[in-house]
C-alpha cells in the first residue's frame, strides 16, 4: 500500500485551518463528532494568524507606540529619536505574537482530539476527498466544511506579486522599510499597512480609485482618519488610477492617471480579496459557486450539496475573521442536529488605523440610500473629558436609531480605541436595546465609553 491509498473515515472533514475552519472543527469535537482539518500549510490560524489580522495588528501596535512617543513631546516628555531594529521587530512578531498563538491553537486541537492533516484537499465526490502533497491520503466523510478562505486580488492586467510589487502577505513580512512606498487601494488593508510603513519611516503615497478613503463608510467617520493620513503620508491621490507599472532594477516605475510617471522603491497592491474556491474539485459535488467565485450558502451554512457546508471568506462578504468564527460554531451545531443558524444582526467592522474607525448594524449612509427614516445622534469627543486627558479630542460617537421605537439600529465610532468601543454598540444592536437603555446605563467616568451614553442622551433631549 502506498500512502495515497490510505482511506480515513471521519464524521466531519474540514478543508482549511483558518478561523472559520478551526472554530468549526473545535465545536464539532465538543459536540462528540470526529473532525479532521486538512490545511495546505498543516497549521491552524489561516490568513488571520499568518498573513492578516494578527501580524498587521502587531505592527500597528508598534506604529501606535511610535506615534504616542512623538505626541508625548506636547506635554514635555522627550525620549529622543526612535531607533528601530527591523530584525528584532520581525522576531517579536514571528515568535512572541504569531508563534505563541499558533502553539496555543495546536494545543487546543490536541486537547480536543482534532487532527490537522497537511496538504491540499480536492473533492472527488460529495462524500470523499483526496489530500495532495505533504500527507497524501483519501478521506471519506459524512459531512465536509469548505473553509478555504480568500487570497489577495491582483490589479487586472497590471500587477501580480513579485519582488518589489507586494500583496498584503508580502508587505507583512517586512523585508525592509522602503524609502518610497506606493500603496494602491484606500480600503482598510491599504490604510493599515500604509500606516505601519509610514510610522517606520517610509514616504507613503496612496492612490485610491474612488473619491474618498474607505469607500462606503459614513464620511463623518472617515474625516478624522483622512486628516491624519494627509499628515502621515507623503501624498494621497483620490479619484486616481494606476494605469501602468513596471519593475526596473532597483525600483518600480508607475503611471498614475492625472499625476504622471513616478518611481517607487516598493508598491503594495491592496485592492481587495477574492474567495478561494477554485481548484477544490467542487465541480465533482453539487456545491453552487456564484459569479464572484463565492460558495453559495444559506443561513445554516448549508451549500446546495446536502453533505457539504461552507463558512468564512470563501462564502463572500464580509471577509472578516469574527464572522468566519461565528459561522464555524453555527455549522458545527447544525451538523450535530442542533437548531442553530447564522442569524446575527451585526458583524462589527473595525479599521485599526490611528484613529480607529468602527461601525456595526445600519449605517447612516445605508439608511439614506434605502430612504429609511432614522434619528442620528452624534457625540463629538471635543466634549469628552477622557478624550481631553488623552489629548485626542478628534473622535466621534454615533448612534442610528429607529424614530418610532427608539431601538438602536446602528452604532459607529472613530477615535483611538474605537475597535474596543464598538463592542457596546454591537451588543446594543444585537439585543435590540433602546436609546433610552443606553442613556440610563451608568458608564464609568471618565471613559470614552461614556460617549455612547452621551450620544443617546442627546437623542432623548431632542425627542
Ligand atoms: P482563511 O483564514 O483564509 O484560512 C483558509 C485556510 O485554508 C488557509 O490556511 C489556506 O491555506 C487553507 N486552504 C485553502 N485551500 C485549501 C485546500 N484546497 N486544501 C487545504 N487547505 C486549503 N479580519 C478581521 O476580522 N479583523 C482584522 O483586523 C483583519 N485584518 C486583516 C488584515 C489583512 C492584511 C488581511 C489580508 C486580512 C485581514 N482580515 C481581518 C481578514 C481575515 O484574515 C479573514 O477574514 C479570515 O482569515 C477568514 O478566515 P477563513 O477561515 O475564512 O479563511
Amino acid at each position: 500500500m502506498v500512502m495515497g491509498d490510505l482511506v480515513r473515515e471521519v464524521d466531519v472533514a474540514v478543508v482549511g485551518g483558518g478561523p472559520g475552519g478551526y472554530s468549526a472543527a473545535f465545536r464539532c469535537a465538543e459536540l462528540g463528532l470526529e473532525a479532521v482539518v486538512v490545511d495546505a500549510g498543516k497549521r491552524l490560524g489561516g490568513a488571520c494568524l499568518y498573513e492578516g489580522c494578527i501580524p498587521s495588528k502587531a505592527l500597528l501596535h508598534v506604529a501606535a507606540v511610535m506615534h504616542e512617543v512623538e505626541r508625548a513631546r506636547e506635554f514635555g516628555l522627550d525620549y529622543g529619536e526612535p531607533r528601530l531594529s527591523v530584525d528584532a521587530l520581525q522576531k517579536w512578531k514571528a515568535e512572541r505574537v504569531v508563534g505563541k498563538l499558533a502553539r496555543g491553537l495546536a494545543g487546543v486541537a490536541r486537547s480536543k482530539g482534532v487532527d490537522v492533516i497537511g496538504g491540499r484537499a480536492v473533492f472527488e465526490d460529495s462524500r470523499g476527498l483526496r489530500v495532495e502533497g505533504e500527507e497524501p491520503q483519501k478521506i471519506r466523510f459524512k459531512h465536509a466544511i469548505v473553509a478555504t478562505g480568500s487570497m489577495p486580488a491582483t490589479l487586472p492586467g497590471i500587477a501580480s506579486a513579485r519582488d518589489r510589487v507586494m500583496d498584503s502577505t508580502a508587505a507583512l513580512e517586512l523585508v525592509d522599510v522602503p524609502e518610497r512606498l506606493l500603496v494602491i487601494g484606500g480600503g482598510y488593508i491599504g490604510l493599515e499597512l500604509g500606516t505601519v510603513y509610514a510610522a517606520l519611516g517610509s514616504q507613503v503615497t496612496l492612490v485610491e480609485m474612488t473619491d474618498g478613503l474607505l469607500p462606503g463608510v459614513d464620511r463623518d467617520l472617515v474625516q478624522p482618519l483622512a486628516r491624519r493620513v494627509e499628515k502621515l503620508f507623503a501624498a494621497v491621490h483620490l479619484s486616481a488610477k494606476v494605469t501602468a507599472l513596471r519593475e526596473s532594477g532597483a525600483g518600480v516605475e508607475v503611471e498614475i492617471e492625472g499625476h504622471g510617471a513616478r518611481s517607487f522603491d516598493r508598491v503594495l497592491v491592496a485592492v481587495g480579496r477574492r474567495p478561494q474556491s477554485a481548484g477544490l474539485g467542487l465541480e465533482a459535488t453539487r456545491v453552487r459557486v456564484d459569479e464572484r467565485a463565492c460558495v453559495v450558502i444559506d443561513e445554516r451554512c448549508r451549500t446546495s450539496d446536502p453533505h457539504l457546508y461552507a463558512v468564512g471568506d470563501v462564502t463572500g462578504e464580509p471577509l472578516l475573521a469574527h464572522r468566519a468564527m461565528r459561522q464555524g460554531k453555527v455549522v458545527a451545531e447544525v451538523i450535530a442536529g442542533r437548531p442553530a443558524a447564522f442569524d446575527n444582526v451585526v458583524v462589527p467592522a473595525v479599521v485599526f488605523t490611528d484613529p480607529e474607525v468602527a461601525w456595526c448594524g445600519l449605517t447612516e449612509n445605508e439608511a439614506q440610500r434605502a430612504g429609511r427614516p432614522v434619528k442620528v445622534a452624534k457625540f463629538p469627543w471635543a466634549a469628552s473629558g477622557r478624550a481631553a486627558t488623552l489629548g485626542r479630542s478628534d473622535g466621534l460617537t454615533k448612534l442610528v436609531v429607529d424614530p418610532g421605537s427608539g431601538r438602536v439600529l446602528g452604532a459607529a465610532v472613530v477615535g483611538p480605541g474605537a475597535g474596543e468601543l464598538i463592542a457596546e454598540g454591537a451588543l446594543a444592536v444585537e439585543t435590540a436595546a433602546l436609546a433610552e437603555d443606553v442613556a440610563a446605563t451608568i458608564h464609568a467616568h471618565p471613559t470614552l465609553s461614556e460617549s455612547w451614553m452621551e450620544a443617546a442622551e442627546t437623542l432623548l433631549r431632542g425627542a
Side-chain angles (χ1 to χ4, degrees), residues 14-23 37-57 60 117-123 130-132 146-152 168-169 172 188-190 192-193 272-273 276-281 311-315 318-325 327 347-352:
V14 181
V15 180
Y22 71 70
S23 302
V37 177
V38 183
D39 185 80
K42 192 176 167 50
R43 60 192 189 183
L44 299 181
C48 168
L49 179 55
Y50 292 97
E51 53 203 52
C53 325
I54 300 298
S56 62
K57 267 79 251 182
L60 278 160
I117 298 167
R120 292 200 67 77
V122 180
F123 287 95
R130 66 173 185 278
V131 179
E132 296 176 347
V146 181
T148 46
S150 60
M151 53 169 66
S168 57
T169 308
L172 283 166
Y188 86 93
I189 293 180
E192 288 187 359
L193 294 179
R273 293 180 66 81
Q276 229 170 161
S277 57
L280 261 176
V311 297
D313 284 9
V314 75
T315 65
L319 308 186
L320 291 168
H322 40 279
R323 179 245 197 181
M325 289 189 241
Q327 284 182 320
V347 180
V350 182
V351 184
F352 291 85

Side-chain angles (χ1 to χ4, degrees), residues 155-461:
L155 265 183
I158 296 189
S160 57
R162 269 170 294 164
D163 277 3
R164 295 185 169 275
V165 181
M166 312 181 286
D167 58 20
S168 57
T169 308
L172 283 166
E173 281 165 20
L174 197 70
V175 174
D176 59 14
V177 179
E179 201 177 311
R180 298 158 308 165
L181 172 72
L182 172 69
V183 175
I184 307 177
Y188 86 93
I189 293 180
L191 285 166
E192 288 187 359
L193 294 179
T195 298
V196 167
Y197 276 90
L200 299 183
S202 296
Q203 291 165 31
V204 175
T205 297
L206 185 140
V207 175
E208 162 57 40
M209 211 170 69
T210 69
D211 61 1
L213 301 174
L214 294 177
V217 179
D218 288 357
R219 289 301 94 186
D220 52 358
L221 296 176
V222 177
Q223 232 170 45
L225 171 62
R227 277 199 296 268
R228 169 80 185 130
V229 164
E230 288 282 345
K231 279 198 201 136
L232 188 65
F233 291 4
V236 175
H237 301 311
L238 301 175
S239 306
K241 239 166 124 177
V242 168
T243 50
L245 192 150
R246 191 172 57 85
E247 279 193 51
S248 67
V252 191
E253 305 301 318
V254 181
E255 191 69 39
I256 306 172
E257 208 175 64
H259 300 271
R262 303 275 307 278
S263 301
F264 295 92
D265 300 301
R266 283 187 185 273
V267 174
L268 163 62
V269 180
V271 293
R273 293 180 66 81
R274 57 188 170 84
Q276 229 170 161
S277 57
L280 261 176
L282 290 177
E283 51 294 341
T285 70
R286 288 160 60 189
V287 169
R288 199 163 76 76
V289 174
D290 71 14
E291 60 294 344
R292 288 164 305 133
C294 304
V295 172
V296 179
I297 54 165
D298 66 9
E299 74 292 347
R300 305 184 80 194
C301 304
R302 294 178 298 199
T303 68
S304 35
D305 188 313
H307 297 285
L308 268 75
Y309 301 75
V311 297
D313 284 9
V314 75
T315 65
E317 294 285 345
L319 308 186
L320 291 168
H322 40 279
R323 179 245 197 181
M325 289 189 241
R326 174 76 194 138
Q327 284 182 320
K329 290 172 196 160
V330 165
V331 79
E333 305 220 342
V334 169
I335 290 172
R338 296 199 172 191
F342 185 81
D343 52 6
N344 290 65
V345 181
V346 295
V347 180
V350 182
V351 184
F352 291 85
T353 39
D354 177 19
E356 293 179 353
V357 185
W359 65 96
C360 68
L362 186 70
T363 67
E364 199 177 353
N365 270 353
E366 286 166 352
Q368 264 163 15
R369 272 202 306 274
R372 178 172 183 171
V374 287
K375 279 189 179 170
V376 177
K378 297 183 188 181
F379 181 75
W381 288 15
S384 156
R386 186 60 179 139
T389 65
L390 298 171
R392 292 302 301 263
S393 299
D394 53 340
L396 174 78
T397 299
K398 181 159 126 175
L399 286 173
V400 178
V401 173
D402 180 66
S405 61
R407 187 175 155 179
V408 180
L409 301 174
V413 55
V414 54
E420 300 295 335
L421 288 169
I422 200 62
E424 178 171 346
L427 189 66
V429 181
E430 195 68 48
T431 58
L434 303 180
E436 210 177 323
D437 299 323
V438 179
T441 301
I442 299 175
H443 289 70
H445 178 74
T447 60
L448 296 172
S449 65
E450 280 174 295
S451 61
W452 293 119
M453 180 180 75
E454 301 276 5
E457 281 176 359
T458 323
L459 199 77
L460 298 178
R461 274 198 295 274

Side-chain angles (χ1 to χ4, degrees), residues 56-73 75 77-84 89 92 195-196 198-200 228 232 352-354 356 392 416:
S56 62
K57 267 79 251 182
L59 294 179
L60 278 160
H61 175 64
V62 175
V65 169
M66 292 176 86
H67 184 215
E68 275 301 289
V69 167
E70 196 184 291
R71 278 184 352 100
R73 294 195 183 113
F75 44 81
L77 184 60
D78 193 341
Y79 288 99
E81 283 308 307
R83 276 176 302 144
L84 176 77
L89 176 54
W92 170 74
T195 298
V196 167
L200 299 183
R228 169 80 185 130
L232 188 65
F352 291 85
T353 39
D354 177 19
E356 293 179 353
R392 292 302 301 263

Side-chain angles (χ1 to χ4, degrees), residues 122-130 139-141:
V122 180
F123 287 95
E124 296 193 320
D125 57 40
S126 299
R127 298 298 297 274
L129 59 79
R130 66 173 185 278
I139 297 178
R140 300 294 302 164
F141 52 79

